[in-house]
Amino acid sequence: MAASIRLRRLGAVAAVAGGACFTVLGDPPMASSDRGAPGPTMTALKQKISDPLSAVPSREVQESALIGSSPANPLDVLVVGGGATGCGVALDAATRGLRVGLVEREDFSSGTSSRSTKLIHGGVRYLEKAVFNLDYGQLKLVFHALEERKQVIDNAPHLCNALPCMTPCFSWFEVIYYWMGLKMYDLVAGKRLLHLSRYYSAQESVGLFPTLTRKGKDQSLKGTVVYYDGQMNDSRLNVALACTAALAGATVLNHAEVISFLRDEGGGRIIGARIRNNLSGKEFDTYAKVVVNAAGPFCDSLRKMADKEAKPMICPSSGVHVVLPDYYSPEGMGLIVPKTKDGRVVFMLPWLGRTVAGTTDSNTTITMLPEPHEDEIEFILDAISDYLNIKVRRVDVLSAWSGIRPLAMDPKAKNTESISRDHVVYEDFPGLVTITGGKWTTYRSMAEDAVDAAIKSGKLSPANKCLTYELQLVGADGWDPASFTVLAQQYVRMKRSHGGKVVPGVMDTAVAKHLSHAYGTFAERVAAIAQNENLGKRLAHGYPILEAEVAYCARHEYCESVVDFIARRSRLAFLDTDAAMRAVPRVIEILACEHKWDRSRQKQEMQKAQEFLETFKSSRNAQFHDGKHN
């Protein structure tokens, strides 16, 4: 009886939501001028970003530009934070013709933006809440996220893709319930739809996902409903944003920390920041008409730097993920469990040749290097074991990491009920605009809102409206899924053998595909380094990451440390902690050559890499006493 009432209620509300959807989809399309019509500025930008000979300004040039600002000649905007939102703000502001600087204490994407679920999603869970709570506000959030989802994929197709996700159903009620809900998801997506969802029988489902169990919760599998969301290589997308912003004219500097704010003589407005270069120790002042605080989980510490009495805006939440061998999930098909025994959502997705599973959502403290707790790892393994026909073992965990979600609260609210998955733009101190909350999927529109607020706060005069809606990132222009064949056919991998002899190697399909997806149309630059500079060896057995990538990232992507490379330019630390550790000595050798490091700096880099990788709880470096999973 309860099930039938629930189903009838879903059907009734679906009709209402569907009507709302048709209303929104029936609205006239936004005028091109509202998105920034293609014109001379856009054309010039695209040419500069896609030019195969273009190169980002050196770190020294970028630092000099920040130092060169003055009270009489300030930047328009100084962005603090180099995650997805901060780099998005820098790109948006630069393409509007504003003078922009960005500083990041660690590295681009060193925080939350590299530790995401890797999904570009509209929020199917939020749609369910919108339906059952009759919440049109939540429904609008889903509309907006689905529009941005498609645009993120279109703007960086080499780093993003559509991914089918399977939802197992162990009763006919679940089949109908999830089929209706996911068809509604399709409907809300409208013309931004990736692919239509559909039902598969139990036999078809096991054929598509061989490790899926046919038995669960004392019930047999009745089938699955498969829908589509987007997937990305998050930190490489973030680095692409930073490099695109630099090519568009923004001054971006990683490993540069704000240590205090500069104020006008009356003390009423922030007019810049005192910055420390964390690589050299050098300190300098940078002046700006507006400072944008995009520091993610750390935005409250910046706000307190401006005003000790500032009320917190962040409610931090821990999201833990584990990486398992590729045989846990088939290539090109994910598994989403909407409700586990304790009501949480768990997924298992193919990612860069391995399987990523998660996630948790629990209160946490804010720290620079969050670590996953063993009970959170156990929860994920327990949850997925209920849906698989293979033994789920703790010893199979190749890497496990924790990320801090900066859930946003309205600082003016009297209680925590205002915690939101949406973003908040707030200027609680003159000259300091804070943008926080939201999610990876909507980074572009979050940046647009933050720049709009900065323009208003600083009375800035942009040359044009927002241009980022259809602006492709570096490596995207002219890329297509077959681009890797050029690498495979036209390049070889020259490498040194154990005897020191240089020997040619084939640019095999796995390496060619990896380079094409990681660097887009700029992959040929990496292949040329591998061929011409004898850097064609793989860094780690079983992974298609080449030595040439270390040199390329040092020269063209602001890769300044070993951790920058193993964690964010490549994803080796996230994919396989032990393999990353084995690659570290060679990465140090190449970076030492590129950046002229002395022995002391090389030793320091080794120590920092070890400390960083110890926070990734693979089966080898985890402390556990586990009877069930062994």
Side-chain angles (χ1 to χ4, degrees):
M1 173 65 77
S4 63
I5 292 171
R6 191 178 175 201
L7 194 58
R8 284 200 303 272
R9 186 182 175 195
L10 175 60
V13 179
V16 174
C21 179
F22 283 126
T23 301
V24 174
L25 295 180
D27 287 343
M30 187 171 287
S32 60
S33 59
D34 293 335
R35 287 291 189 195
T41 304
M42 187 67 157
T43 302
L45 268 173
K46 286 184 173 181
Q47 287 175 347
K48 190 171 183 180
I49 291 165
S50 61
D51 183 353
L53 299 177
S54 63
V56 296
S58 69
R59 181 177 176 82
E60 291 71 29
V61 168
Q62 300 289 52
E63 185 177 63
S64 295
L66 292 176
I67 295 171
S69 66
S70 67
N73 185 30
L75 299 173
D76 289 314
V77 179
L78 175 65
V79 185
V80 184
T85 307
C87 289
V89 170
L91 177 59
D92 187 309
T95 55
R96 297 199 206 192
L98 299 173
R99 289 183 64 210
V100 187
L102 178 146
V103 291
E104 159 58 46
R105 173 170 53 180
E106 292 292 325
D107 181 31
F108 307 120
S109 200
S110 59
T112 304
S113 295
S114 63
R115 297 166 180 263
S116 76
T117 299
K118 323 303 178 198
L119 285 176
I120 312 167
H121 61 96
V124 70
R125 286 178 297 159
Y126 312 143
L127 179 61
E128 186 179 30
K129 289 177 184 175
V131 167
F132 282 107
N133 297 334
L134 296 176
D135 187 340
Y136 186 62
Q138 287 272 0
L139 188 63
K140 286 202 299 184
L141 279 179
V142 180
F143 276 123
H144 176 58
L146 285 170
E147 180 180 14
E148 291 293 327
R149 176 188 72 174
K150 184 66 166 60
Q151 212 54 49
V152 173
I153 296 172
D154 288 348
N155 288 347
H158 57 302
L159 295 167
C160 309
N161 58 275
L163 179 72
C165 299
M166 180 177 279
T167 304
C169 304
F170 290 92
S171 70
W172 290 113
F173 169 75
E174 285 185 342
V175 169
I176 298 169
Y177 180 78
Y178 291 126
W179 183 86
M180 287 180 65
L182 293 169
K183 282 298 177 187
M184 195 189 309
Y185 196 54
D186 293 348
L187 182 68
V188 171
K191 64 181 180 179
R192 318 299 291 174
L193 181 71
L194 299 178
H195 296 284
L196 279 169
S197 60
R198 62 159 292 183
Y199 164 78
Y200 288 94
S201 69
Q203 185 68 31
E204 291 171 322
S205 300
V206 172
L208 290 168
F209 205 112
T211 53
L212 181 64
T213 185
R214 284 177 172 268
K215 293 285 182 183
K217 308 172 188 173
D218 301 320
Q219 294 177 296
S220 60
L221 184 70
K222 299 297 187 290
T224 60
V225 182
V226 173
Y227 74 101
Y228 285 77
D229 255 328
Q231 190 179 47
M232 65 180 162
N233 185 337
D234 52 5
S235 72
R236 283 220 52 84
L237 185 58
N238 200 152
V239 169
L241 274 168
C243 292
T244 307
L247 289 171
T251 300
V252 300
L253 193 67
N254 55 351
H255 301 283
E257 180 176 0
V258 170
I259 54 177
S260 63
F261 286 121
L262 307 175
R263 302 169 191 269
D264 62 14
E265 291 182 0
R269 184 175 179 87
I270 289 174
I271 57 169
R274 182 78 175 169
I275 295 165
R276 180 174 58 231
N277 181 331
N278 283 335
L279 298 179
S280 66
K282 179 181 179 181
E283 293 184 8
F284 56 89
D285 291 338
T286 296
Y287 293 86
K289 296 174 185 175
V290 185
V291 175
V292 173
N293 173 8
F298 300 95
C299 78
D300 279 343
S301 61
L302 272 177
R303 293 173 60 245
K304 288 182 185 297
M305 196 182 288
D307 179 5
K308 292 179 182 178
E309 304 301 318
K311 291 183 179 179
M313 287 181 70
I314 295 296
C315 179
S317 170
S318 168
V320 171
H321 302 78
V322 302
V323 172
L324 298 161
D326 56 353
Y327 58 75
Y328 271 80
S329 65
E331 185 179 352
M333 180 65 76
L335 184 75
I336 304 280
V337 179
K339 283 198 174 86
T340 57
K341 285 177 279 196
D342 65 353
R344 287 191 266 189
V345 176
V346 167
F347 59 82
M348 204 168 67
L349 310 168
W351 184 64
L352 301 182
R354 296 294 178 262
T355 299
V356 60
T359 180
T360 60
D361 190 356
S362 51
N363 293 333
T364 189
T365 54
I366 297 174
T367 177
M368 287 294 293
L369 285 177
E371 298 185 28
H373 295 295
E374 192 59 36
D375 58 351
E376 294 176 304
I377 296 172
E378 295 286 353
F379 161 75
I380 294 169
L381 297 179
D382 277 336
I384 64 173
S385 67
D386 291 338
Y387 295 88
L388 300 179
N389 59 19
I390 59 173
K391 200 170 185 179
V392 177
R393 307 180 304 176
R394 179 62 175 86
V395 294
D396 285 340
V397 175
L398 300 171
S399 182
W401 74 85
S402 174
I404 301 173
R405 299 186 187 96
L407 301 182
M409 294 187 296
D410 184 345
K412 294 178 288 188
K414 295 179 181 178
N415 55 49
T416 59
E417 290 177 6
S418 59
I419 294 173
S420 171
R421 296 280 175 172
D422 197 7
H423 64 275
V424 173
V425 181
Y426 189 62
E427 183 177 13
D428 55 348
F429 197 88
L432 182 66
V433 172
T434 295
I435 169 80
T436 192
K439 55 186 177 179
W440 239 116
T441 309
T442 57
Y443 85 85
R444 192 211 62 81
S445 63
M446 289 169 64
E448 185 177 349
D449 290 347
V451 175
D452 287 344
I455 290 169
K456 183 178 179 181
S457 170
K459 298 183 173 62
L460 308 179
S461 302
N464 45 262
K465 294 183 178 179
C466 177
L467 296 177
T468 58
Y469 188 71
E470 293 181 342
L471 182 66
Q472 290 193 305
L473 305 186
V474 286
D477 188 50
W479 182 89
D480 68 60
S483 294
F484 76 93
T485 58
V486 175
L487 303 178
Q489 291 179 346
Q490 296 184 12
Y491 292 88
V492 294
R493 296 192 287 126
M494 302 301 289
K495 50 194 179 181
R496 291 189 182 275
S497 65
H498 293 293
K501 186 179 178 182
V502 177
V503 294
V506 175
M507 188 69 73
D508 55 276
T509 301
V511 169
K513 282 186 174 179
H514 158 69
L515 294 179
S516 179
H517 281 282
Y519 303 94
T521 54
F522 287 12
E524 289 190 52
R525 292 184 180 186
V526 186
I529 294 172
Q531 177 175 278
N532 302 333
E533 301 181 32
N534 306 329
L535 291 173
K537 287 185 78 171
R538 293 186 183 214
L539 280 168
H541 178 71
Y543 294 88
I545 302 164
L546 301 185
E547 293 175 341
E549 295 178 59
V550 185
Y552 175 83
C553 293
R555 297 170 195 175
H556 300 290
E557 291 187 351
Y558 302 115
C559 179
E560 302 295 333
S561 75
V562 170
V563 173
D564 287 358
F565 184 81
I566 62 172
R568 292 168 295 263
R569 302 309 182 282
S570 76
R571 309 315 309 276
L572 201 49
F574 285 83
L575 291 168
D576 189 328
T577 308
D578 299 336
M581 192 64 241
R582 291 193 295 272
V584 163
R586 182 59 179 144
V587 176
I588 290 176
E589 280 183 23
I590 300 169
L591 285 178
C593 182
E594 294 292 328
H595 292 315
K596 307 295 185 290
W597 290 345
D598 59 19
R599 288 291 179 89
S600 173
R601 175 66 188 273
Q602 292 178 49
K603 188 176 179 181
Q604 184 184 30
E605 287 292 324
M606 174 62 80
Q607 184 179 348
K608 284 185 176 179
Q610 289 173 337
E611 290 171 357
F612 177 81
L613 290 172
E614 282 172 5
T615 67
F616 284 64
K617 302 302 181 184
S618 70
S619 58
R620 181 171 296 183
N621 68 2
Q623 299 296 317
F624 63 93
H625 304 281
D626 168 14
K628 178 172 182 181
H629 298 301
N630 281 338

